[in-house]
Amino acid sequence: EPEQIHILGSKEDVEGFKNLANKDGSKRFAQNSGTITSKENPMQIYVDGSDIKGTGAIGYGAYAEYNNKTYELSGTNESDSVKELQKKFPQATFSNPTMEMLGLLETLKKFATTSEHIVINQDYKGAISYGELWNYSEGSEQRPDKPWNAKESYIKDIVDQSVDIIKQIESNGGSVKINWVKGHQTGTSIHKKGNDNADRVAKDRNIKDTFDEFNNTDFESRDNFSNFAEEDSWKEEDNNDTCTPF
């Protein structure tokens, strides 16, 4: 007999948990329902920009490995994020630095409603230097003595949006650190692997996003809810604040 699991809350709360457990029979976990990472074991994410000279082909990419799974995010000229920036700032120059900063912003957006702990590694110095982003790069190599002021309005806009999201993640209980890493390294370091893969994704010319798979990880990966996922069927008791698997 499975043990009874007590869940405090209203009848609506119980129904909500049932829906989470049984929706489409998948046991997928809703975003922001728990935290996988920790400050001691944050997700290391590598972000890069791409501007293939003379072709007009631009892109950004993010790459991460966590708990033996790989996650990728990329954008190109055809991505909504690029089109929105072009519409908002028609004068914007979509060079490699712009795509580096847009890659940072789009990566942060994937975690805006979570309480995860992430470290974003980039080989572009602006990511650790512009405005309030400087506050989140303490201890990083190549960090300037004081913040840079963004001269271009569209870069400042990206910076401001990025900082707002970082503060939201912090208010959720998570944390963000931005770190500079040397690009196109030799050897076998973990930073070489991460940066090389981010560069590959940025140049891939395919729009992809598998980071949502991280934010919707199976129940079993979320320690606080691992027992809850054991059963697919639930029976409410008359007092409306417990449910019993059968």
Side-chain angles (χ1 to χ4, degrees):
E1 286 286 323
E3 67 177 300
Q4 179 170 309
I5 300 174
H6 294 270
I7 300 175
L8 299 179
S10 66
K11 186 173 182 178
E12 289 75 18
D13 291 332
V14 172
E15 190 64 31
F17 275 98
K18 286 171 60 181
N19 291 337
L20 281 176
N22 293 313
K23 185 177 181 182
D24 297 327
S26 63
K27 293 185 183 177
R28 303 300 285 177
F29 194 84
Q31 188 169 338
N32 199 31
S33 295
T35 303
I36 295 176
T37 58
S38 66
K39 281 190 174 181
E40 295 73 27
N41 186 28
M43 175 181 258
Q44 298 282 342
I45 305 172
Y46 294 84
V47 175
D48 205 1
S50 172
D51 176 13
I52 303 176
K53 301 298 183 183
T55 67
I58 55 176
Y60 59 80
Y63 176 89
E65 295 180 7
Y66 200 83
N67 286 349
N68 299 314
K69 292 186 178 181
T70 298
Y71 305 93
E72 296 182 352
L73 170 70
S74 65
T76 71
N77 314 56
E78 300 303 316
S79 297
D80 290 341
S81 56
V82 174
K83 292 180 178 180
E84 288 170 5
L85 192 65
Q86 287 174 325
K87 183 177 180 180
K88 190 174 182 179
F89 299 97
Q91 79 284 9
T93 300
F94 284 86
S95 59
N96 185 72
T98 305
M99 301 312 290
E100 291 270 5
M101 295 304 296
L102 196 56
L104 170 65
L105 173 59
E106 293 304 308
T107 300
L108 287 168
K109 284 180 180 180
K110 306 309 300 182
F111 296 88
T113 62
T114 77
S115 54
E116 301 295 351
H117 302 275
I118 61 175
V119 177
I120 297 179
N121 301 282
Q122 290 194 237
D123 60 10
Y124 176 56
K125 193 173 177 180
I128 64 169
S129 305
Y130 279 126
E132 288 187 67
L133 291 176
W134 183 84
N135 296 333
Y136 299 95
S137 62
E138 186 174 357
S140 173
E141 291 185 53
Q142 298 294 315
R143 184 176 187 251
D145 292 334
K146 59 182 180 180
W148 293 355
N149 292 319
K151 297 179 180 179
E152 298 87 357
S153 57
Y154 53 93
I155 296 296
K156 184 178 185 304
D157 184 73
I158 293 173
V159 171
D160 290 345
Q161 288 188 66
S162 298
V163 170
D164 286 345
I165 294 173
I166 292 173
K167 291 179 178 178
Q168 180 61 53
I169 294 171
E170 288 182 328
S171 71
N172 295 341
S175 65
V176 177
K177 177 177 173 57
I178 307 172
N179 187 48
W180 179 87
V181 295
K182 183 179 179 180
H184 308 292
Q185 300 181 30
T186 59
T188 58
S189 75
I190 190 169
H191 286 320
K192 170 179 170 51
K193 179 181 179 181
N195 183 257
D196 284 354
N197 275 294
D199 181 66
R200 169 185 59 79
V201 176
K203 294 176 179 176
D204 192 32
R205 308 306 302 152
N206 290 317
I207 299 172
K208 65 177 68 174
D209 177 12
T210 58
F211 273 88
D212 280 339
E213 295 176 13
F214 176 79
N215 287 329
N216 293 293
T217 300
D218 289 344
F219 273 95
E220 286 81 359
S221 297
R222 306 275 184 167
D223 292 340
N224 292 336
F225 293 86
S226 59
N227 291 332
F228 181 78
E230 294 301 320
E231 298 296 327
D232 286 331
S233 299
W234 301 86
K235 177 181 177 182
E236 294 177 34
E237 293 185 349
D238 292 338
N239 60 9
N240 290 332
D241 62 3
T242 64
C243 57
T244 306
F246 58 88

